[in-house]
């Protein structure tokens, strides 16, 4: 009986730790593949700040954000 409880607790702890690290890995991968800010959002933010965004400037900003995410 005591061995069953110990094995169950160890299995629970291993499952929790494994689930945490798998979820963390999945979320990191998801945000790298799908960044929370896209070009349309960036264009809207620049327009709100009073800048008229050109396509070249948007591309530069997006590439800078992708480079920062890789680090």
């Amino acid at each position: 009986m005591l061995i069953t409880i110990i094995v169950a607790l160890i299995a629970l702890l291993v499952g929790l730790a494994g689930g945490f690290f798998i979820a963390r890995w999945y979320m990191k991968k998801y945000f790298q593949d799908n960044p929370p800010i896209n070009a349309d959002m960036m264009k809207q933010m620049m327009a709100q700040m009073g800048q008229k965004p050109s396509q070249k400037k948007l591309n530069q900003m997006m590439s800078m954000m992708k480079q920062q995410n890789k680090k």
Side-chain angles (χ1 to χ4, degrees):
M1 173 113 171
L2 181 62
I3 293 174
T4 306
I5 294 172
I6 291 172
V7 169
L9 286 175
I10 290 172
L12 177 67
L13 291 174
V14 169
L16 287 173
F20 171 76
F21 286 110
I22 290 171
R24 183 174 168 237
W25 169 80
Y26 177 78
M27 289 307 290
K28 279 179 136 180
K29 185 177 182 317
Y30 178 80
F31 282 123
Q32 283 179 352
D33 295 342
N34 304 309
I37 296 178
N38 60 17
D40 293 332
M41 289 180 179
M42 185 76 69
K43 186 185 284 189
Q44 188 177 20
M45 285 173 30
M46 290 174 76
Q48 287 175 351
M49 291 188 292
Q51 299 178 5
K52 184 167 173 119
S54 65
Q55 190 62 37
K56 181 180 178 183
K57 190 160 188 158
L58 282 173
N59 291 340
Q60 287 175 342
M61 297 284 282
M62 293 302 290
S63 66
M64 285 174 39
M65 287 179 59
K66 284 182 184 179
Q67 286 175 354
Q68 279 186 335
N69 285 342
K70 288 182 181 180
K71 291 182 181 178

